[in-house]
Amino acid sequence: MKSWIKKIGAIIAGVFAGGLTIALVESLGHAVVEGQTLFVIAALGLGCAAFVGGLVSRKISGLGYTAWIIAGTLACLSLVNVFSFAHPVWFVPVAFALLAVGAAASLRIGKTQELIA
């Protein structure tokens, strides 16, 4: 398979896996908490999404930088959400920091898996 097709497929799969992760975390959050605490759950969901999406994209493509593409894509998509309805002032910086932490963690775990294999 051509290299660029594999990279694009890995990014699409990573964004899809990240989206499913956000949906799962936020669904569980809505079942357990309410009010302003849901924004904490949403921010944590973004970090988890960057982690899961980064792992998926790295596993498929074999390239670490795809984790940052996933985190950047999720950041852009979350900005759409932020501008759609009111969020606390702290949400955007915290969510973006957790996106970066999730992407970095997926790179670290991905390298560890490569050493073991």
Side-chain angles (χ1 to χ4, degrees):
M1 183 184 333
K2 292 195 181 221
S3 168
W4 62 273
I5 294 174
K6 190 174 185 178
K7 290 175 193 173
I8 291 172
I11 291 167
I12 291 170
V15 171
F16 184 75
L20 287 177
T21 302
I22 291 171
L24 177 66
V25 169
E26 289 191 12
S27 293
L28 292 173
H30 280 282
V32 177
V33 297
E34 55 187 44
Q36 293 292 319
T37 311
L38 284 172
F39 289 107
V40 174
I41 301 297
L44 290 171
L46 286 169
C48 292
F51 177 74
V52 171
L55 282 179
V56 168
S57 67
R58 185 182 179 114
K59 186 71 173 174
I60 294 170
S61 71
L63 301 169
Y65 70 84
T66 58
W68 294 111
I69 294 172
I70 302 305
T73 303
L74 292 173
C76 291
L77 293 172
S78 69
L79 280 177
V80 172
N81 189 13
V82 166
F83 290 122
S84 296
F85 63 93
H87 284 69
V89 174
W90 57 264
F91 181 81
V92 172
V94 169
F96 279 39
L98 289 173
L99 281 165
V101 168
S106 73
L107 288 173
R108 191 144 178 92
I109 296 295
K111 283 182 183 176
T112 305
Q113 288 177 345
E114 288 173 359
L115 293 175
I116 293 171

